[in-house]
Amino acid sequence: MTSSTLAAPGAGGRRRRLASAAIVLVALGLLTLLYSALAPRGSAASSSDPDVIAGRDLFVKFSCASCHGMNGEGGQRAPSLIGVGPAAVDFQVGTGRMPLQHHSAQAPRKRPVMTEAQIHQLAAYVATLGPGGPPVPDVTGYQNADVAFGGALFRTNCAQCHNFVGAGGELTYGKYAPSLAEATPTQIYEAMVTGPENMPVFGDKTLTPDQKLAIINYVKSVRSQADPGGEGLGRIGPVSETLAGILVGLGLCVGAALWVGSRA
Amino acid sequence: MSAQAEAGAKKTLRYVDDRLGSASFLRKSMNKVFPDHWSFLLGEIAMYSLIILLLTGVYLTLFFHASSQEVIYHGRYAPLRGVAMTDAYASTLHLSFDVRGGLLVRQIHHWAALLFVLSIITHCFRVFFTGAFRKPRTLNWHIGVVLMILAILEGFAGYSLPDDLLSGTGIRIAYSVMESIPLVGSYLAYFVFGGDFPGVDFIPRLFVIHVLLVPGIIIALFSAHMMMIWHQKHTDFPGPGKTEHNVVGTVFFPTFILKTNGFLFLVFGILTLMAAFIQINPVWLYGPYNPSQVSAGSQPDFYIFFLEGSLRLMPNWETTIWGHTISWNILIPGVILPGIMFNLLAMYPAIESWATKDKGFHNLLQRPRDVPVRTALGVMALTFYGVLFIGGQNDILARTFDWSLQATSWTLRVLLIVAPPIAFYITKRWCLGLQHHDEELLHHGIETGIIRRLPSGEYIEVTAPLPPQRAAVLAMQLGVEHNGHANGHGALPSGNGHSSGHVAGEAEATKLRRPVGPVNRARNMLEGFFFERGDAPKANPEDDEPKTLSH
């Protein structure tokens, strides 16, 4: 605003000001209309989808809100859920990691507290909090993916934390890469696209969907494969072999030595 | 046998004897006496493991290709079909899945390797804690230490050959340890690997080291080890009729040879059963080696755990001098520390004889409690080794027991410094306590658990005398003068001047047995299974008069 307008406020100036206020008002009104028309569904309270309404009830009933906030906005104790997408909800609740039992270095896998239908409803509600996030993946046909290629990809991308056959491994300060023994194909895929806990996200440009399916096929087939050499000892490498070597091997040999060495 | 045939046999034997002079040697050898104690067989476990390793190893060389040539796998194991790998790895897969008995033999070979080093270590414990390494056997102790190092080296070379992801990680570490040596490190690593890691020369070289060089030296040194035992004769624990100048036991032929052969078959049987039922080193699960990959929980075989542990527990120290980095973080735990450890082990006999001024010949063994400082030093060293051993598995332990990895490592770092002196102190006190117990046994006799009330109203505990033989042995072990009476009255520190606790009559003395519960009864049965009953402590009516004591 220039000093001349301030110095000489006339009738024309007042009218101009009123007109600009009206324009601003009209523009705001238009924006509001545009927003309500273009915005992806409003708050859950205004949604008519029964899944979303049930999901919101679950969100409160299972105390998700106590850490993630009434609107999933997150807080000091928990991250925001705005834009995380259904895959993250399905993974966290489907593996029993959420709802959290207590705060520790990492949420352990446990028996899920919600049914699949409830998880679906909760995911529908969380999706209304904000757009984005990967959907629950479809893994049908993963058995047809190239298992050997999947193995090579697994050793390159996954084994450094999850061990060579997905038996799990230790990370820093009490965190860990869990065993993949109980993980379902869908959950493995979800973990790759959502990166739960300390896991990095393996987006479709890092690992294509086909490569992800190959990894899943490798994990599932190697987990279900029999051990041709006998008892597998947890497939964690030489530590359990050492225990068996000392207890069984040396133990039996020393027992034999006691027997042979004493009867003259 | 007809007289003619007998004469023929004699003639043949004479023919051999005239040319080799073998008869007197054989006669002497066959009558050689070996003492009986189960702990003397720990070294034999190593000997038999070695024989089994040689037999199974020969079979494996028939199918293994020591080559870094890259091939594409098309064998029976589906999860690796079409994957590029070295011929070494592919031939190991072929050996495991397509060769008849291949996996079984490979697993026997690997279990035998673990047992070989395990039994060498246990044998070393026996020799150390009983003082068997003392003069005149110090040289054999040195050979034993070298054999132990060679066995570890041979094991490392062996499990590295298949070129799988796990063993390749180990070779990578070995390469870096070599590189950490100041000035010459890089050149040394280049020399050993024929260039930069991994290269194509290393596996063929490792193969020659594993099947020819190291086994050759092991067999040569092992033979020297045996010949020295043969020449110096075996040590024995003190016992009835045993002195520094004789050997009491079973003759080589036929008793000892039968027993020892039986033991060979027992060890072979145990290893075969293990190989049949427990999987070891599943290389097909690890995948082929690729320097860009590594698995969580990568551990070496157990005999490298202590080195792995020292590397894991070492703080990250580095110094840069004139543009050269000295990696103390690898040099100290990977080179200096094992160097000190093995040198101390080898030099221990000299250190002990220097410190005790004991230059004498010793053919009789000592019990661990009889030499508290040596035993405590040994336990101290073992504690240090044990903390490193656990340190090598810190991530697996943290995962298994839900500990924090950092907390585990820091606890172990502190324990590495603090635990050995504590172990020394506890062990020494423990040995002295056991010595006191023995002295009490020698002077007071065996507790019977019977409490008597005397007419005067005093309560006394009734003790039974020690059999004289056992008392004599005990006195020898404790190094005290013994007057021949198991419970010589004069030697008794009579608590309050009372000697009224005598138990009257021999008949009553036979009843003076400690009452036994079910656990002790089972233990007595086991004892009868393992040992002759003769030397078990018990009240004997023909011994001295039973003695009672008030404490």
Side-chain angles (χ1 to χ4, degrees):
Chain A
M1 200 176 275
T2 62
S3 57
S4 65
T5 51
L6 277 174
R14 192 176 295 126
R15 212 176 302 128
R16 256 205 311 280
R17 234 177 293 157
L18 276 173
S20 47
I23 288 167
V24 169
L25 272 176
V26 169
L28 273 174
L30 276 173
L31 253 176
T32 316
L33 278 173
L34 198 70
Y35 178 79
S36 51
L38 293 181
R41 285 181 283 175
S43 71
S46 63
S47 172
S48 57
D49 186 341
D51 274 357
V52 173
I53 294 164
R56 187 180 164 78
D57 286 347
L58 292 168
F59 191 76
V60 176
K61 187 180 151 201
F62 282 97
S63 308
C64 310
S66 64
C67 298
H68 289 287
M70 279 308 284
N71 296 306
E73 72 274 18
Q76 285 194 325
R77 290 191 293 171
S80 160
L81 297 181
I82 295 165
V84 295
V89 178
D90 189 54
F91 178 84
Q92 295 287 350
V93 184
T95 59
R97 288 185 166 83
M98 292 292 144
L100 203 59
Q101 252 170 2
H102 64 96
H103 278 276
S104 57
Q106 186 166 326
R109 188 187 181 99
K110 54 184 188 292
R111 212 161 54 84
V113 294
M114 292 189 206
T115 63
E116 255 182 64
Q118 285 175 319
I119 294 169
H120 178 74
Q121 290 168 341
L122 188 69
Y125 165 67
V126 171
T128 65
L129 298 176
V136 175
D138 178 19
V139 293
T140 45
Y142 76 87
Q143 296 96 330
N144 305 324
D146 185 346
V147 66
F149 183 47
L153 288 170
F154 186 84
R155 285 188 290 277
T156 305
N157 296 288
C158 319
Q160 62 264 54
C161 297
H162 284 286
N163 139 307
F164 46 86
V165 287
E170 185 72 10
L171 303 175
T172 52
Y173 298 105
K175 292 171 285 193
Y176 56 90
S179 160
L180 304 180
E182 292 171 63
T184 64
T186 308
Q187 286 166 352
I188 297 173
Y189 199 112
E190 286 167 348
M192 285 192 272
V193 289
T194 63
E197 305 279 354
N198 291 282
M199 185 163 160
V201 173
F202 292 89
D204 283 354
K205 283 177 182 166
T206 314
L207 289 170
T208 66
D210 282 346
Q211 291 174 332
K212 290 194 177 85
L213 292 182
I215 289 177
I216 293 168
N217 192 19
Y218 173 74
V219 171
K220 294 318 284 181
S221 60
V222 83
R223 298 293 325 169
S224 60
Q225 161 192 319
D227 283 314
E231 166 56 43
L233 300 174
R235 295 171 168 181
I236 55 164
V239 170
S240 50
E241 288 166 5
T242 300
L243 203 62
I246 294 174
L247 294 182
V248 181
L250 191 67
L252 285 176
C253 284
V254 168
L258 280 165
W259 185 40
V260 173
S262 57
R263 289 276 183 197
Chain B
M1 198 193 276
S2 70
Q4 209 173 11
E6 205 175 308
K10 269 186 181 162
K11 214 172 146 188
T12 316
L13 282 175
R14 174 144 309 159
Y15 178 87
V16 174
D17 188 37
D18 284 348
R19 276 148 192 82
L20 297 175
S22 51
S24 65
F25 173 77
L26 268 179
R27 197 178 303 118
K28 242 175 92 180
S29 301
M30 282 186 175
N31 290 326
K32 206 160 179 65
V33 169
F34 286 83
D36 277 319
H37 193 272
W38 68 268
S39 69
F40 302 160
L41 297 176
L42 293 172
E44 281 189 28
I45 301 177
M47 173 165 80
Y48 297 138
S49 305
L50 179 62
I51 292 172
I52 294 160
L53 281 168
L54 292 171
L55 291 175
T56 50
V58 168
Y59 187 74
L60 296 179
T61 55
L62 302 180
F63 306 101
F64 178 73
H65 305 165
S67 156
S68 300
Q69 179 72 42
E70 188 177 90
V71 296
I72 305 292
Y73 181 69
H74 293 295
R76 198 177 284 182
Y77 186 66
L80 285 174
R81 235 175 258 157
V83 173
M85 54 184 67
T86 56
D87 200 12
Y89 186 73
S91 66
T92 311
L93 291 178
H94 173 76
L95 161 68
S96 303
F97 294 120
D98 300 294
V99 172
R100 196 168 290 266
L103 183 58
L104 181 72
V105 174
R106 226 195 88 217
Q107 296 204 136
I108 296 177
H109 193 73
H110 205 125
W111 282 122
L114 291 197
L115 188 64
F116 183 51
V117 188
L118 266 177
S119 52
I120 287 176
I121 293 172
T122 334
H123 171 63
C124 175
F125 291 174
R126 195 278 293 175
V127 171
F128 180 86
F129 287 111
T130 60
F133 57 81
R134 290 173 298 168
K135 197 175 164 186
R137 295 178 180 79
T138 43
L139 200 56
N140 226 6
W141 169 266
H142 294 307
I143 293 179
V145 172
V146 175
L147 276 170
M148 184 196 279
I149 297 168
L150 286 173
I152 291 171
L153 201 69
E154 177 72 347
F156 179 78
Y159 79 69
S160 295
L161 276 177
D163 199 32
D164 55 278
L165 184 54
L166 190 61
S167 68
T169 307
I171 296 178
R172 172 77 246 194
I173 296 173
Y175 184 86
S176 304
V177 168
M178 273 183 242
E179 273 188 315
S180 77
I181 300 170
L183 301 176
V184 296
S186 312
Y187 301 98
L188 188 69
Y190 263 57
F191 172 70
V192 172
F193 281 74
D196 204 353
F197 180 85
V200 291
D201 290 340
F202 189 61
I203 287 180
R205 288 181 184 180
L206 199 65
F207 184 67
V208 174
I209 291 171
H210 180 72
V211 304
L212 185 72
L213 184 65
V214 180
I217 305 173
I218 286 181
I219 291 168
L221 285 178
F222 165 73
S223 307
H225 203 64
M226 289 294 100
M227 279 153 70
M228 277 184 169
I229 293 170
W230 196 269
H231 175 69
Q232 294 175 332
K233 298 168 192 69
H234 207 286
T235 51
D236 201 358
F237 286 104
K242 294 173 182 175
T243 70
E244 290 281 7
H245 311 289
N246 69 0
V247 186
V248 178
T250 46
V251 287
F252 183 73
F253 189 85
T255 323
F256 183 77
I257 189 97
L258 274 176
K259 282 171 69 158
T260 194
N261 275 331
F263 194 45
L264 163 66
F265 291 117
L266 277 170
V267 173
F268 211 155
I270 289 164
L271 283 173
T272 310
L273 281 175
M274 283 190 84
F277 292 109
I278 313 175
Q279 180 166 286
I280 187 163
N281 199 25
V283 286
W284 56 91
L285 294 179
Y286 301 154
Y289 183 60
N290 178 333
S292 72
Q293 302 170 347
V294 68
S295 169
S298 285
Q299 257 86 12
D301 271 9
F302 87 93
Y303 36 84
I304 315 279
F305 276 6
F306 79 103
L307 279 174
E308 177 85 17
S310 65
L311 279 167
R312 289 184 183 203
L313 297 186
M314 180 71 195
N316 192 18
W317 296 341
E318 280 182 354
T319 330
T320 308
I321 303 170
W322 298 312
H324 287 277
T325 305
I326 299 179
S327 303
W328 301 111
N329 46 9
I330 303 174
L331 184 66
I332 292 176
V335 182
I336 296 176
L337 189 79
I340 293 174
M341 284 168 76
F342 282 115
N343 271 305
L344 276 179
L345 186 67
M347 279 155 53
Y348 184 79
I351 296 171
E352 188 186 291
S353 105
W354 176 77
T356 58
K357 302 193 181 71
D358 178 2
K359 310 280 181 208
F361 281 78
H362 297 281
N363 289 319
L364 282 180
L365 298 172
Q366 291 162 311
R367 295 173 309 167
R369 73 182 71 167
D370 298 328
V371 194
V373 173
R374 177 203 295 150
T375 307
L377 282 173
V379 174
M380 186 171 96
L382 276 181
T383 309
F384 186 81
Y385 179 88
V387 175
L388 292 179
F389 189 87
I390 293 169
Q393 319 161 55
N394 59 356
D395 59 330
I396 299 277
L397 290 174
R399 186 74 273 275
T400 309
F401 297 109
D402 218 358
W403 299 333
S404 150
L405 186 63
Q406 270 70 13
T408 310
S409 297
W410 272 104
T411 309
L412 290 171
R413 280 175 180 175
V414 172
L415 279 178
L416 191 66
I417 313 287
V418 172
I422 297 175
F424 178 88
Y425 179 78
I426 292 176
T427 313
K428 196 180 163 194
R429 300 314 306 176
W430 197 334
C431 288
L432 291 172
L434 285 167
Q435 280 189 14
H436 281 300
H437 173 76
D438 279 352
E439 267 166 29
E440 203 174 270
L441 208 62
L442 188 65
H443 295 311
H444 298 185
I446 304 160
E447 287 179 8
T448 59
I450 298 168
I451 306 290
R452 281 270 160 88
R453 190 183 174 192
L454 300 180
S456 62
E458 182 194 4
Y459 286 95
I460 55 154
E461 190 195 355
V462 183
T463 54
L466 219 52
Q469 266 190 352
R470 185 169 144 76
V473 171
L474 208 54
M476 205 162 150
Q477 281 162 337
L478 291 170
V480 296
E481 283 295 314
H482 184 61
N483 57 13
H485 282 267
N487 297 284
H489 192 108
L492 287 175
S494 196
N496 49 10
H498 260 297
S499 56
S500 52
H502 284 289
V503 180
E506 285 186 4
E508 193 150 4
T510 52
K511 293 183 207 153
L512 289 180
R513 288 272 193 82
R514 196 190 187 112
V516 285
V519 176
N520 272 328
R521 203 171 299 130
R523 211 174 126 201
N524 287 346
M525 276 169 65
L526 270 176
E527 192 193 7
F529 173 69
F530 284 121
F531 303 104
E532 285 170 83
R533 278 295 190 152
D535 51 271
K538 60 180 74 130
N540 188 343
E542 287 161 26
D543 286 346
D544 281 1
E545 200 183 10
K547 182 69 212 161
T548 62
L549 248 198
S550 52
H551 288 278

